[in-house]
Amino acid sequence: MRILVANVNTTASMTESIARQARAAAAPGTEIIGLTPRFGADSCEGNFESYLAAIAVMDAVLSYPEPFDAVIQAGYGEHGREGLQELLDVPVVDITEAAASTAMFLGHKYSVVTTLDRAVPLIEDRLKLAGLDARCASVRASGLGVLELEEFPERAVQAILAQAKLAVDKDKAEVIVLGCGGMSGLDEQIRTRLGVPVVDGVAAAVTIAESLIRLGLSTSKVRTYAPPRPKAVTGWPLPANPASAKVSVND
C-alpha cells in the first residue's frame, strides 16, 4: 500500500523528518511518500497560514502523479481535511484527530503540548469540531515556533517536557499528545523522562490509515463529504477537474 504524508508547510527538511517518522511506524510493505506543498508558508502558526495550507495540501495531493491508498494531513490543528475527504475516494487521516483518538485508549484525560500560544485556540476548535474535546484536559504552548523545533531539538524537548509535566501535575492529564507535526520523533524522549504515554500524531495517523486500508473502509460519500458539484471555479489553482477522485493502488 502507498500512503501520502502531506506536510502543511513548505519546509522540505520538516517533510523529510515527518516522512521518516511515518516510515518508522509503518508496517512492512507500506510505502510512505512525503509531500511538500509548492506554495504556502514555511511554517503554520495561525489562521491565515492554516487556510493557505489547506489549499496548498489539496494542490500537492491532486498533483501527485501516481495512485495511492490513503492520505495523511500532517499538521496539528490545521484546516483542510474536509476538502480532501470530498476530493478523494481513499481514506484521509488528520494527525490532530489520530493523536487525540489514540490518546483516549490510553488514559482518562489527555493534554496537548503545542508550539506557540496563538495555536492553542485553533487546536481547541479542531478538537471540538471533531468531538474529541470532552476528554482533553488542556492544550498547552511550549513557547517555541515551529521552525525552532527543528533548529533547537534539545531546547524543544526541554520546553515540551516542562509543559507536559504541568499538564500531568496540574491539569491531571494521563496521556500527552505532541501537538505539531514538527515534534514528530520526540515522543520517546518525552515518554522516558515523564513516565506517561506520549502520542506522536504522525505515527498514530499511519497506523490508523493502514487499518482503514486493510478493512476496505473509506470516507462516506452519501452526504457531508460527497464530491464537489461540477461548476465553474474562477482562478482555481489546483489541477484540472479537481472533483475527479484518485484511484488507489493494489496492496
PDB file of all heavy atoms in Angstrom, residues 38-63:
ATOM      1  N   ARG A  38       3.846  23.156  -2.948  1.00  0.00           N
ATOM      2  CA  ARG A  38       4.661  24.010  -3.825  1.00  0.00           C
ATOM      3  C   ARG A  38       4.471  25.489  -3.510  1.00  0.00           C
ATOM      4  O   ARG A  38       5.230  26.334  -3.991  1.00  0.00           O
ATOM      5  CB  ARG A  38       4.318  23.740  -5.290  1.00  0.00           C
ATOM      6  CG  ARG A  38       2.913  24.081  -5.706  1.00  0.00           C
ATOM      7  CD  ARG A  38       2.619  23.658  -7.144  1.00  0.00           C
ATOM      8  NE  ARG A  38       1.249  23.946  -7.520  1.00  0.00           N
ATOM      9  CZ  ARG A  38       0.834  25.090  -8.047  1.00  0.00           C
ATOM     10  NH1 ARG A  38       1.706  26.052  -8.273  1.00  0.00           N
ATOM     11  NH2 ARG A  38      -0.444  25.268  -8.363  1.00  0.00           N
ATOM     12  N   PHE A  39       3.475  25.828  -2.679  1.00  0.00           N
ATOM     13  CA  PHE A  39       3.316  27.212  -2.230  1.00  0.00           C
ATOM     14  C   PHE A  39       2.815  27.196  -0.794  1.00  0.00           C
ATOM     15  O   PHE A  39       2.360  26.166  -0.290  1.00  0.00           O
ATOM     16  CB  PHE A  39       2.346  28.002  -3.138  1.00  0.00           C
ATOM     17  CG  PHE A  39       0.952  27.436  -3.188  1.00  0.00           C
ATOM     18  CD1 PHE A  39      -0.014  27.822  -2.270  1.00  0.00           C
ATOM     19  CD2 PHE A  39       0.589  26.520  -4.171  1.00  0.00           C
ATOM     20  CE1 PHE A  39      -1.306  27.313  -2.328  1.00  0.00           C
ATOM     21  CE2 PHE A  39      -0.695  26.009  -4.239  1.00  0.00           C
ATOM     22  CZ  PHE A  39      -1.649  26.406  -3.312  1.00  0.00           C
ATOM     23  N   GLY A  40       2.910  28.328  -0.131  1.00  0.00           N
ATOM     24  CA  GLY A  40       2.483  28.433   1.257  1.00  0.00           C
ATOM     25  C   GLY A  40       3.576  28.999   2.134  1.00  0.00           C
ATOM     26  O   GLY A  40       4.622  29.456   1.654  1.00  0.00           O
ATOM     27  N   ALA A  41       3.339  28.959   3.444  1.00  0.00           N
ATOM     28  CA  ALA A  41       4.284  29.499   4.413  1.00  0.00           C
ATOM     29  C   ALA A  41       5.295  28.430   4.833  1.00  0.00           C
ATOM     30  O   ALA A  41       5.020  27.243   4.751  1.00  0.00           O
ATOM     31  CB  ALA A  41       3.530  30.011   5.640  1.00  0.00           C
ATOM     32  N   ASP A  42       6.459  28.884   5.321  1.00  0.00           N
ATOM     33  CA  ASP A  42       7.469  27.914   5.754  1.00  0.00           C
ATOM     34  C   ASP A  42       7.137  27.304   7.107  1.00  0.00           C
ATOM     35  O   ASP A  42       7.764  26.328   7.538  1.00  0.00           O
ATOM     36  CB  ASP A  42       8.869  28.524   5.749  1.00  0.00           C
ATOM     37  CG  ASP A  42       9.003  29.742   6.647  1.00  0.00           C
ATOM     38  OD1 ASP A  42       8.023  30.116   7.326  1.00  0.00           O
ATOM     39  OD2 ASP A  42      10.105  30.328   6.674  1.00  0.00           O
ATOM     40  N   SER A  43       6.137  27.848   7.784  1.00  0.00           N
ATOM     41  CA  SER A  43       5.585  27.226   8.988  1.00  0.00           C
ATOM     42  C   SER A  43       4.163  27.740   9.168  1.00  0.00           C
ATOM     43  O   SER A  43       3.840  28.840   8.718  1.00  0.00           O
ATOM     44  CB  SER A  43       6.426  27.547  10.228  1.00  0.00           C
ATOM     45  OG  SER A  43       6.376  28.931  10.537  1.00  0.00           O
ATOM     46  N   CYS A  44       3.315  26.938   9.801  1.00  0.00           N
ATOM     47  CA  CYS A  44       1.912  27.312  10.001  1.00  0.00           C
ATOM     48  C   CYS A  44       1.662  27.578  11.474  1.00  0.00           C
ATOM     49  O   CYS A  44       1.749  26.662  12.303  1.00  0.00           O
ATOM     50  CB  CYS A  44       0.979  26.203   9.500  1.00  0.00           C
ATOM     51  SG  CYS A  44       1.029  25.987   7.721  1.00  0.00           S
ATOM     52  N   GLU A  45       1.364  28.830  11.789  1.00  0.00           N
ATOM     53  CA  GLU A  45       1.205  29.226  13.186  1.00  0.00           C
ATOM     54  C   GLU A  45       0.051  30.207  13.375  1.00  0.00           C
ATOM     55  O   GLU A  45       0.068  31.031  14.277  1.00  0.00           O
ATOM     56  CB  GLU A  45       2.516  29.840  13.697  1.00  0.00           C
ATOM     57  CG  GLU A  45       3.670  28.841  13.704  1.00  0.00           C
ATOM     58  CD  GLU A  45       5.036  29.491  13.882  1.00  0.00           C
ATOM     59  OE1 GLU A  45       5.221  30.622  13.398  1.00  0.00           O
ATOM     60  OE2 GLU A  45       5.903  28.853  14.490  1.00  0.00           O
ATOM     61  N   GLY A  46      -0.959  30.103  12.529  1.00  0.00           N
ATOM     62  CA  GLY A  46      -2.104  30.991  12.648  1.00  0.00           C
ATOM     63  C   GLY A  46      -3.148  30.661  11.612  1.00  0.00           C
ATOM     64  O   GLY A  46      -2.945  29.791  10.753  1.00  0.00           O
ATOM     65  N   ASN A  47      -4.261  31.358  11.658  1.00  0.00           N
ATOM     66  CA  ASN A  47      -5.383  31.046  10.775  1.00  0.00           C
ATOM     67  C   ASN A  47      -5.071  31.293   9.306  1.00  0.00           C
ATOM     68  O   ASN A  47      -5.409  30.472   8.456  1.00  0.00           O
ATOM     69  CB  ASN A  47      -6.603  31.870  11.196  1.00  0.00           C
ATOM     70  CG  ASN A  47      -7.314  31.270  12.384  1.00  0.00           C
ATOM     71  OD1 ASN A  47      -7.973  30.248  12.281  1.00  0.00           O
ATOM     72  ND2 ASN A  47      -7.170  31.914  13.532  1.00  0.00           N
ATOM     73  N   PHE A  48      -4.448  32.428   8.987  1.00  0.00           N
ATOM     74  CA  PHE A  48      -4.140  32.717   7.585  1.00  0.00           C
ATOM     75  C   PHE A  48      -3.283  31.609   6.987  1.00  0.00           C
ATOM     76  O   PHE A  48      -3.579  31.073   5.907  1.00  0.00           O
ATOM     77  CB  PHE A  48      -3.423  34.063   7.459  1.00  0.00           C
ATOM     78  CG  PHE A  48      -2.763  34.258   6.118  1.00  0.00           C
ATOM     79  CD1 PHE A  48      -3.526  34.464   4.975  1.00  0.00           C
ATOM     80  CD2 PHE A  48      -1.375  34.196   5.991  1.00  0.00           C
ATOM     81  CE1 PHE A  48      -2.924  34.617   3.732  1.00  0.00           C
ATOM     82  CE2 PHE A  48      -0.767  34.342   4.758  1.00  0.00           C
ATOM     83  CZ  PHE A  48      -1.535  34.553   3.634  1.00  0.00           C
ATOM     84  N   GLU A  49      -2.199  31.255   7.694  1.00  0.00           N
ATOM     85  CA  GLU A  49      -1.290  30.225   7.186  1.00  0.00           C
ATOM     86  C   GLU A  49      -1.975  28.869   7.123  1.00  0.00           C
ATOM     87  O   GLU A  49      -1.704  28.067   6.221  1.00  0.00           O
ATOM     88  CB  GLU A  49      -0.049  30.172   8.081  1.00  0.00           C
ATOM     89  CG  GLU A  49       0.806  31.429   7.948  1.00  0.00           C
ATOM     90  CD  GLU A  49       1.646  31.722   9.172  1.00  0.00           C
ATOM     91  OE1 GLU A  49       1.586  30.936  10.144  1.00  0.00           O
ATOM     92  OE2 GLU A  49       2.357  32.744   9.169  1.00  0.00           O
ATOM     93  N   SER A  50      -2.885  28.618   8.046  1.00  0.00           N
ATOM     94  CA  SER A  50      -3.600  27.339   8.069  1.00  0.00           C
ATOM     95  C   SER A  50      -4.549  27.219   6.885  1.00  0.00           C
ATOM     96  O   SER A  50      -4.598  26.170   6.222  1.00  0.00           O
ATOM     97  CB  SER A  50      -4.373  27.196   9.387  1.00  0.00           C
ATOM     98  OG  SER A  50      -5.087  25.983   9.424  1.00  0.00           O
ATOM     99  N   TYR A  51      -5.295  28.270   6.586  1.00  0.00           N
ATOM    100  CA  TYR A  51      -6.199  28.224   5.431  1.00  0.00           C
ATOM    101  C   TYR A  51      -5.415  28.160   4.124  1.00  0.00           C
ATOM    102  O   TYR A  51      -5.815  27.472   3.174  1.00  0.00           O
ATOM    103  CB  TYR A  51      -7.123  29.444   5.436  1.00  0.00           C
ATOM    104  CG  TYR A  51      -8.288  29.314   6.383  1.00  0.00           C
ATOM    105  CD1 TYR A  51      -8.376  30.106   7.515  1.00  0.00           C
ATOM    106  CD2 TYR A  51      -9.312  28.393   6.144  1.00  0.00           C
ATOM    107  CE1 TYR A  51      -9.436  29.990   8.391  1.00  0.00           C
ATOM    108  CE2 TYR A  51     -10.387  28.267   7.020  1.00  0.00           C
ATOM    109  CZ  TYR A  51     -10.451  29.064   8.140  1.00  0.00           C
ATOM    110  OH  TYR A  51     -11.498  28.935   9.007  1.00  0.00           O
ATOM    111  N   LEU A  52      -4.297  28.854   4.068  1.00  0.00           N
ATOM    112  CA  LEU A  52      -3.435  28.778   2.887  1.00  0.00           C
ATOM    113  C   LEU A  52      -2.910  27.354   2.713  1.00  0.00           C
ATOM    114  O   LEU A  52      -2.883  26.803   1.610  1.00  0.00           O
ATOM    115  CB  LEU A  52      -2.269  29.760   3.041  1.00  0.00           C
ATOM    116  CG  LEU A  52      -1.243  29.823   1.901  1.00  0.00           C
ATOM    117  CD1 LEU A  52      -1.915  30.245   0.599  1.00  0.00           C
ATOM    118  CD2 LEU A  52      -0.122  30.788   2.268  1.00  0.00           C
ATOM    119  N   ALA A  53      -2.531  26.734   3.831  1.00  0.00           N
ATOM    120  CA  ALA A  53      -2.021  25.362   3.788  1.00  0.00           C
ATOM    121  C   ALA A  53      -3.083  24.383   3.317  1.00  0.00           C
ATOM    122  O   ALA A  53      -2.772  23.394   2.636  1.00  0.00           O
ATOM    123  CB  ALA A  53      -1.510  24.954   5.167  1.00  0.00           C
ATOM    124  N   ALA A  54      -4.336  24.648   3.674  1.00  0.00           N
ATOM    125  CA  ALA A  54      -5.414  23.747   3.248  1.00  0.00           C
ATOM    126  C   ALA A  54      -5.465  23.656   1.729  1.00  0.00           C
ATOM    127  O   ALA A  54      -5.580  22.560   1.152  1.00  0.00           O
ATOM    128  CB  ALA A  54      -6.753  24.233   3.801  1.00  0.00           C
ATOM    129  N   ILE A  55      -5.372  24.795   1.050  1.00  0.00           N
ATOM    130  CA  ILE A  55      -5.363  24.806  -0.410  1.00  0.00           C
ATOM    131  C   ILE A  55      -4.079  24.183  -0.947  1.00  0.00           C
ATOM    132  O   ILE A  55      -4.090  23.398  -1.904  1.00  0.00           O
ATOM    133  CB  ILE A  55      -5.497  26.250  -0.948  1.00  0.00           C
ATOM    134  CG1 ILE A  55      -6.802  26.884  -0.462  1.00  0.00           C
ATOM    135  CG2 ILE A  55      -5.441  26.259  -2.465  1.00  0.00           C
ATOM    136  CD1 ILE A  55      -8.044  26.220  -0.966  1.00  0.00           C
ATOM    137  N   ALA A  56      -2.959  24.505  -0.302  1.00  0.00           N
ATOM    138  CA  ALA A  56      -1.674  24.003  -0.770  1.00  0.00           C
ATOM    139  C   ALA A  56      -1.584  22.484  -0.668  1.00  0.00           C
ATOM    140  O   ALA A  56      -1.030  21.822  -1.553  1.00  0.00           O
ATOM    141  CB  ALA A  56      -0.547  24.651   0.032  1.00  0.00           C
ATOM    142  N   VAL A  57      -2.126  21.919   0.397  1.00  0.00           N
ATOM    143  CA  VAL A  57      -2.091  20.461   0.563  1.00  0.00           C
ATOM    144  C   VAL A  57      -2.993  19.791  -0.467  1.00  0.00           C
ATOM    145  O   VAL A  57      -2.620  18.766  -1.060  1.00  0.00           O
ATOM    146  CB  VAL A  57      -2.487  20.068   1.998  1.00  0.00           C
ATOM    147  CG1 VAL A  57      -2.766  18.563   2.096  1.00  0.00           C
ATOM    148  CG2 VAL A  57      -1.387  20.464   2.974  1.00  0.00           C
ATOM    149  N   MET A  58      -4.182  20.359  -0.706  1.00  0.00           N
ATOM    150  CA  MET A  58      -5.047  19.787  -1.739  1.00  0.00           C
ATOM    151  C   MET A  58      -4.344  19.820  -3.092  1.00  0.00           C
ATOM    152  O   MET A  58      -4.419  18.857  -3.871  1.00  0.00           O
ATOM    153  CB  MET A  58      -6.385  20.538  -1.787  1.00  0.00           C
ATOM    154  CG  MET A  58      -7.317  20.187  -0.639  1.00  0.00           C
ATOM    155  SD  MET A  58      -8.982  20.886  -0.818  1.00  0.00           S
ATOM    156  CE  MET A  58      -8.686  22.571  -0.276  1.00  0.00           C
ATOM    157  N   ASP A  59      -3.657  20.913  -3.381  1.00  0.00           N
ATOM    158  CA  ASP A  59      -2.902  21.029  -4.618  1.00  0.00           C
ATOM    159  C   ASP A  59      -1.812  19.967  -4.696  1.00  0.00           C
ATOM    160  O   ASP A  59      -1.636  19.301  -5.724  1.00  0.00           O
ATOM    161  CB  ASP A  59      -2.285  22.423  -4.703  1.00  0.00           C
ATOM    162  CG  ASP A  59      -1.304  22.568  -5.850  1.00  0.00           C
ATOM    163  OD1 ASP A  59      -1.754  22.604  -7.011  1.00  0.00           O
ATOM    164  OD2 ASP A  59      -0.084  22.624  -5.582  1.00  0.00           O
ATOM    165  N   ALA A  60      -1.073  19.770  -3.614  1.00  0.00           N
ATOM    166  CA  ALA A  60       0.023  18.798  -3.603  1.00  0.00           C
ATOM    167  C   ALA A  60      -0.494  17.378  -3.796  1.00  0.00           C
ATOM    168  O   ALA A  60       0.091  16.594  -4.549  1.00  0.00           O
ATOM    169  CB  ALA A  60       0.802  18.907  -2.286  1.00  0.00           C
ATOM    170  N   VAL A  61      -1.596  17.058  -3.144  1.00  0.00           N
ATOM    171  CA  VAL A  61      -2.143  15.705  -3.251  1.00  0.00           C
ATOM    172  C   VAL A  61      -2.694  15.452  -4.652  1.00  0.00           C
ATOM    173  O   VAL A  61      -2.433  14.421  -5.270  1.00  0.00           O
ATOM    174  CB  VAL A  61      -3.226  15.477  -2.187  1.00  0.00           C
ATOM    175  CG1 VAL A  61      -3.975  14.169  -2.433  1.00  0.00           C
ATOM    176  CG2 VAL A  61      -2.610  15.469  -0.795  1.00  0.00           C
ATOM    177  N   LEU A  62      -3.465  16.406  -5.178  1.00  0.00           N
ATOM    178  CA  LEU A  62      -4.046  16.214  -6.504  1.00  0.00           C
ATOM    179  C   LEU A  62      -3.001  16.260  -7.612  1.00  0.00           C
ATOM    180  O   LEU A  62      -3.229  15.732  -8.698  1.00  0.00           O
ATOM    181  CB  LEU A  62      -5.127  17.272  -6.765  1.00  0.00           C
ATOM    182  CG  LEU A  62      -6.388  17.185  -5.903  1.00  0.00           C
ATOM    183  CD1 LEU A  62      -7.391  18.242  -6.336  1.00  0.00           C
ATOM    184  CD2 LEU A  62      -7.010  15.809  -5.957  1.00  0.00           C
ATOM    185  N   SER A  63      -1.857  16.865  -7.330  1.00  0.00           N
ATOM    186  CA  SER A  63      -0.788  16.925  -8.327  1.00  0.00           C
ATOM    187  C   SER A  63       0.076  15.676  -8.316  1.00  0.00           C
ATOM    188  O   SER A  63       0.870  15.468  -9.248  1.00  0.00           O
ATOM    189  CB  SER A  63       0.111  18.144  -8.068  1.00  0.00           C
ATOM    190  OG  SER A  63      -0.620  19.347  -8.187  1.00  0.00           O
TER     191      SER A  63
END
